[in-house]
């Protein structure tokens, strides 16, 4: 079992009674009728001052989208479509309304992110720049929208610049802080990401209990290897979410944490709950594909991936599905997915998206490793995050440079050198590099560790890890999911 690393304790979370309510609610969402019944029982037992007043009627989809978009929270696709149509009609008659341009641009960013349709991003840029032209450089909401756009395009340097501009103008505009945290993370500046989170949580009383803040805290904790703390924050965020789409987004991230530690059943439960709440939550469908494949339910896994790709044709999902087909010996179907990946990368590039990381990962294993190396060296020069360190190390290994490869693999896996994430894939890569370098004891240790972190982390690489361990003179023990 994986040892839990020291985390932030309870100072950054809500009070105990409120957390109790949230935990039982999330159990009801993910666990069905039994959890819901428990929630009702807790409500009965709570003192009157802890009970919530009767719910008021929920706002319509467009109003929900407006509220969530302006606050930087996940929004439902139908509401986004309605909001975009409404703002476009309004702006034709009122082209000097800077806030309306900022809302329109930010809504385009969110729709592009939700659908993997990068054609939304040039529209977003035009709308946000129109807002700046009307109001000038002191327009914090338009600058915030440009930071969100840059993050969506994986241009973390630009996101950092825009986010810092926002905070100079409006230091208490809390919705800009999560964007800066994402930018610092993409740039590999984890110290800045952590300090920005602390500033965000200290902005005002109760800010730490805002679901969007808790979700962002979870991402930072996950990057530090504090999985239990990350899971707790996401559970609270999902329970406190104000819309089904927002709750579904946090449940999907909870499922991803479960998947990363090899808990197939718990991951699948959360992914299914997310998809029930928001049928357009395609990340949850892709997550179901991963979990179902690990459970041996191959036909359902393939169907889940295909549904995910039908609504969100992500290059990453195409790569995962292609590798699943390849692991099943379905070479022609795998090639078809890899062709779709290339097509999606072309569409992304037209929308200004930097896909060099996923292309590098694909080319290293399935295409041209030298092309992967060239792309990933350039990517490392622009934004040296942990994901890029791992991918660059693997590309160096694939092009016959294991000594240099190991230096990057260590950055991705050694907390003293920057890598705090507990990733089975990263540790597998390091073990394979060490094996080629003749560092057998280290290779054996890291290949075993990869299988302990997540025994199902890849339909192709798990087989390679087990074969490599056998070649090192040991048959790997039956790995159990890490806690």
């Amino acid at each position: 079992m994986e040892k839990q690393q020291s985390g932030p304790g309870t100072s950054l979370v809500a009070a105990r009674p409120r957390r109790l309510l949230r935990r039982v609610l999330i159990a009801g969402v993910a666990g069905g009728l039994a959890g819901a019944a428990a929630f009702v029982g807790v409500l009965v037992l709570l003192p009157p001052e802890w009970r919530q007043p009767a719910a008021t009627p929920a706002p319509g989809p467009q109003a929900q989208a407006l509220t969530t978009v302006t606050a930087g929270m996940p929004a439902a696709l139908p509401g986004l479509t309605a909001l975009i149509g409404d703002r476009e009609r309004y702006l034709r008659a009122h082209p000097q309304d800077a806030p309306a341009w900022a809302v329109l641009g930010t809504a385009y960013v969110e729709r592009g992110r939700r659908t993997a349709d990068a054609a939304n991003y040039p529209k977003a840029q035009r709308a946000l720049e129109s807002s700046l032209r009307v109001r000038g450089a002191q327009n914090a909401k338009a600058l915030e929208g440009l930071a969100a756009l840059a993050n969506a395009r994986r241009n973390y340097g630009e996101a950092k610049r825009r986010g810092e501009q926002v905070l100079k103008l409006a230091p208490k505009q809390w919705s800009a802080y999560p964007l800066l945290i994402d930018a610092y993370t993409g740039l590999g500046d984890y110290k800045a990401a952590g300090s920005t989170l602390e500033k965000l949580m200290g902005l005002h009383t109760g800010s730490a209990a805002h679901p969007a803040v808790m979700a962002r805290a979870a991402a930072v904790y996950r990057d530090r290897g504090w999985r239990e703390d990350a899971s707790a924050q996401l559970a609270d965020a999902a329970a406190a979410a104000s819309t089904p789409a927002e709750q579904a987004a946090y449940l999907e991230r909870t499922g991803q944490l479960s998947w990363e530690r090899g808990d197939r059943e718990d991951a699948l439960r959360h992914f299914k709950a997310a998809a029930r709440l928001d049928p357009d939550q395609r990340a949850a469908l892709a997550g179901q594909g991963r979990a179902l494949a690990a459970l041996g339910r191959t036909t359902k896994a393939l169907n889940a991936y295909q549904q995910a790709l039908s609504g969100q044709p992500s290059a990453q999902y195409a790569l995962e599905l292609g590798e699943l087909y390849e692991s099943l010996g379905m070479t022609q179907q795998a090639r078809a997915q890899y062709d779709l990946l290339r097509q999606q990368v072309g569409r992304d590039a037209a929308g200004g998206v930097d896909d060099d990381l996923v292309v590098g990962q694909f080319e290293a294993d399935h295409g041209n490793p030298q092309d992967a190396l060239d792309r990933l060296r350039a990517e490392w020069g622009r934004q040296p995050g942990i994901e890029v360190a791992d991918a660059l190390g693997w590309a160096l290994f694939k092009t016959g440079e294991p000594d240099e490869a190991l230096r990057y693999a260590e950055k991705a896996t050694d907390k003293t050198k920057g890598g705090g994430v507990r990733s089975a894939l990263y540790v597998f890569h390091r073990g394979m590099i060490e094996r080629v370098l003749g560092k057998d004891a280290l290779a054996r240790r890291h290949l075993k560790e990869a299988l302990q972190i997540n025994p199902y982390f890849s339909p192709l690489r798990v087989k390679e890890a087990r074969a490599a361990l056998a070649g090192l003179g040991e048959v790997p023990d039956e790995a159990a999911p890490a806690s």
Side-chain angles (χ1 to χ4, degrees):
M1 301 292 283
E2 178 189 357
K3 183 178 180 181
Q4 166 71 9
Q5 298 183 45
S6 59
T10 59
S11 61
L12 299 181
V13 295
R16 183 183 179 106
R18 190 172 183 182
R19 167 161 283 186
L20 174 62
L21 265 174
R22 289 174 177 167
R23 292 292 171 76
V24 177
L25 175 57
I26 200 66
V29 171
L33 293 176
F39 174 60
V40 172
V42 169
L43 283 180
V44 171
L45 294 172
L46 285 174
E49 64 270 20
W50 291 356
R51 298 179 193 171
Q52 299 295 318
T56 56
Q62 182 178 318
Q64 287 185 356
L66 177 61
T67 300
T68 54
V69 162
T70 54
M73 296 183 292
L77 274 179
L80 280 172
T81 300
L83 177 61
I84 287 170
D86 176 78
R87 293 297 86 185
E88 286 176 335
R89 289 188 295 272
Y90 173 81
L91 284 162
R92 282 194 287 270
H94 305 87
Q96 297 303 306
D97 190 327
W101 281 116
V103 168
L104 177 60
T106 305
Y108 272 130
V109 173
E110 176 68 359
R111 189 169 72 175
R113 189 189 67 80
R114 290 294 311 268
T115 62
D117 183 357
N120 284 278
Y121 297 147
K123 296 176 182 179
Q125 186 161 351
R126 288 193 293 271
L128 293 164
E129 288 175 349
S130 295
S131 183
L132 283 177
R133 281 195 298 272
V134 172
R135 179 162 290 183
Q138 303 302 304
N139 187 340
K141 291 306 292 186
L143 291 170
E144 184 181 311
L146 287 168
L149 174 61
N151 275 333
R153 286 170 155 171
R154 286 187 52 82
N155 184 349
Y156 299 119
E158 174 69 2
K160 172 180 177 289
R161 184 173 77 86
R162 293 299 193 179
E164 289 177 347
Q165 285 179 328
V166 174
L167 294 189
K168 284 181 183 177
L169 292 173
K172 294 186 178 181
Q173 189 163 306
W174 75 266
S175 51
Y177 285 80
L179 300 173
L180 260 180
I181 292 168
D182 285 350
Y184 289 136
T185 300
L187 292 169
D189 192 346
Y190 300 99
K191 182 177 180 181
S195 64
T196 304
L197 174 64
E198 292 299 326
K199 291 176 184 175
L200 169 60
M201 301 186 92
L203 275 179
H204 57 80
T205 302
S207 63
H210 193 290
V213 176
M214 290 188 284
R216 197 63 54 182
V220 173
Y221 297 162
R222 178 258 182 195
D223 290 342
R224 293 176 178 175
W226 299 347
R227 278 192 176 149
E228 290 183 9
D229 297 297
S231 295
Q233 289 285 317
L234 281 173
D236 288 345
S242 58
T243 69
E246 185 187 7
Q247 188 175 54
Y250 304 149
L251 285 170
E252 186 278 327
R253 295 178 203 176
T254 305
Q256 183 61 22
L257 282 178
S258 296
W259 168 251
E260 289 176 357
R261 66 173 184 264
D263 192 338
R264 301 168 294 176
E265 292 84 358
D266 189 64
L268 182 59
R269 184 164 56 251
H270 281 91
F271 290 140
K272 284 185 172 181
R276 281 195 300 269
L277 282 166
D278 182 3
D280 295 312
Q281 177 54 258
R282 304 295 172 154
L285 288 170
Q288 288 182 49
R290 292 181 210 113
L292 288 164
L295 288 162
R297 296 157 65 180
T298 307
T299 300
K300 288 188 175 181
L302 295 173
N303 289 338
Y305 267 122
Q306 288 158 359
Q307 288 180 51
L309 282 161
S310 69
Q312 189 176 357
S314 154
Q316 181 63 45
Y317 301 164
L319 176 56
E320 291 179 22
L321 179 54
E323 290 189 339
L324 177 56
Y325 277 128
E326 193 173 335
S327 74
L328 298 170
M330 303 171 72
T331 307
Q332 184 175 351
Q333 291 89 338
R335 282 199 299 265
Q337 290 305 314
Y338 298 151
D339 288 342
L340 287 174
L341 181 152
R342 295 185 180 96
Q343 293 168 18
Q344 181 62 28
V345 167
R347 289 190 290 268
D348 285 351
V353 177
D354 175 4
D355 272 338
D356 278 347
L357 174 59
V358 70
V359 174
Q361 291 168 330
F362 164 71
E363 294 290 353
D365 280 320
H366 307 285
N368 184 339
Q370 186 59 52
D371 178 68
L373 179 57
D374 294 342
R375 287 175 180 273
L376 291 166
R377 279 198 190 281
E379 186 76 359
W380 178 258
R382 290 190 297 271
Q383 33 203 38
I386 293 301
E387 279 187 295
V388 181
D390 168 71
L392 176 54
W394 192 239
L396 284 161
F397 172 70
K398 287 287 190 171
T399 52
E401 301 180 57
D403 289 297
E404 187 180 1
L406 183 58
R407 292 200 291 274
Y408 286 97
E410 288 173 344
K411 290 179 188 292
T413 55
D414 187 339
K415 191 167 185 178
T416 65
K417 299 181 180 181
V421 179
R422 295 283 290 159
S423 166
L425 180 64
Y426 298 177
V427 178
F428 161 76
H429 284 161
R430 179 173 177 175
M432 294 296 281
I433 295 167
E434 290 165 336
R435 174 173 166 265
V436 165
L437 290 171
K439 300 176 182 290
D440 289 0
L442 285 171
R444 188 177 293 111
R445 169 189 159 193
H446 287 121
L447 291 170
K448 282 187 173 182
E449 183 182 348
L451 293 170
Q452 288 168 350
I453 293 171
N454 182 356
Y456 322 101
F457 68 91
S458 163
L460 288 175
R461 308 308 159 209
V462 165
K463 297 174 184 177
E464 291 182 23
R466 293 187 180 281
L469 273 172
L472 287 167
E474 281 190 19
V475 178
D477 297 331
E478 188 68 27
S483 61

